[in-house]
Amino acid sequence: MDRASDASLKSYAGVGGFVASRRHPAFAWIGVILVALVLIALPFALATIGTAWVRITNLAILFVFLALGLNIVVGFAGLLDLGYIAFYAVGAYVYALLASPHFNLHLPFWAILPLGAAVACMFGVLLGAPTLKLRGDYLAIVTLGFGEIIRIFLNNLSQPVNITNGPQGVTLIDPFRIGTINFRNTDTFAGLAFTGPIKYYYLLLVVLVVVIVINLRLQDSRIGRAWEAIREDEVAARAMGINTRNMKLLAFAMGASFGGIAGGMFSAMQGFISPESFILVESIMVLAMVVLGGMGNIWGVILGALLLSFAPEVLRYTVEPVQRAMFGRMLVEPEVIRMLLFGFALVLMMLFRPAGILPSATRKRELEGGRTNGVQGAAPR
């Protein structure tokens, strides 16, 4: 064997050893530990810039909850839902009404959150039951109407019996309390000041880990494979013995329960809610997070939710100073630029990465197969 061949074999062996070492479980655990340390230190790093950024991060985590819940309906089961924000509203109002002076009830959060998830789950079944035979555009229109009906009800259920306080909303909502720890106050521990937003951040982080684990288990379970079969071909799934009716209802119920939990946590964090927080644009934004990140891919959906949550805030803090520095005054509002960039990004995604930033393996194969078939079909005869 000559020297060149021997050198190439050694280099190949070295590359193979490097790849094998990267797949070693120890490297995976090291990566997990590093990510955990970054997430633990993140709120204190953000607090040096301003407490507002900790609050923004908390809202971003809430949007991750919503995107993961909608991903069950849209990404796993293939059911287009444009009224998902209604379940968010149901969870928020359940918490607000049971933990505020409105009905003079001040139940603990650990009792209200499961109740809010259960009520949202019930509303998910109520939405899913009449729409079992609808798909595509028809299902989208019905779910859109459902979301608007919920918002209108919340806006008008103040007469003759005041249930939701109408457009004025519910105020003085109780924060979370664990023993003597009030999440609205600032506590000092080990020389560190734990403000309310920082405490909420850690609680949201723990709940997020639980939600991600549940999603991963669902995706790899028989239920997840049944949802995938329904998404690909409902008739074929029914022929294979899958109870499509129950699986669809389960998808709506599971997705709605995550929205209810997120709504309850939003209500406790804000201390005030009104119907204006649950408009149609919010549903479209959550759906865009799922599409942008990659429908059916849990990590892609998380990435899409974080991008679309932080991008508007970055623009809000940078667009106005830049315009004033360049032109002496503000010419275009940050909201206008945000929607312009948002629409432009979606158009580019549909052109160049229609499956999303991190598409699921199944959806990627579908699109690549369709593109290949299209190319073959366009070949000259």
Side-chain angles (χ1 to χ4, degrees), residues 214-272:
I214 293 174
N215 273 265
L216 290 172
R217 298 295 294 172
L218 278 174
Q219 188 177 28
D220 296 332
S221 67
R222 293 178 61 185
I223 295 174
R225 292 195 293 271
W227 284 336
E228 184 177 341
I230 293 172
R231 183 190 68 199
E232 298 305 316
D233 193 327
E234 185 175 347
V235 176
R238 192 182 298 115
M240 293 168 59
I242 296 174
N243 191 328
T244 57
R245 176 179 66 86
N246 289 350
M247 287 297 106
K248 283 184 175 182
L249 290 178
L250 184 60
F252 276 113
M254 288 294 299
S257 63
F258 288 147
I261 293 173
M265 303 190 81
F266 171 76
S267 185
M269 288 167 52
Q270 295 294 105
F272 164 78

Side-chain angles (χ1 to χ4, degrees), residues 18 45 71 126 139 163 171 173 187 217 220 235 238 250 255 267 270 284 302-303 308 369 378:
F18 176 72
N71 185 54
L126 290 177
L139 179 60
I163 299 176
T171 59
I173 302 171
D187 296 312
R217 298 295 294 172
D220 296 332
V235 176
R238 192 182 298 115
L250 184 60
S267 185
Q270 295 294 105
I284 296 175
I302 294 173
L303 177 61
L308 290 186

Side-chain angles (χ1 to χ4, degrees), residues 132-164:
L132 289 174
K133 295 184 178 181
L134 299 178
R135 289 187 69 84
D137 300 340
Y138 299 101
L139 179 60
I141 292 172
V142 171
T143 54
L144 186 152
F146 174 80
E148 286 300 292
I149 288 170
I150 295 296
R151 185 184 63 82
I152 292 170
F153 264 103
L154 295 175
N155 207 34
N156 291 276
L157 283 179
S158 56
Q159 295 178 351
V161 179
N162 187 7
I163 299 176
T164 63

Side-chain angles (χ1 to χ4, degrees), residues 40-53:
I40 291 172
L42 181 61
F44 294 101
L46 293 174
T48 59
I49 306 174
T51 308
W53 281 102

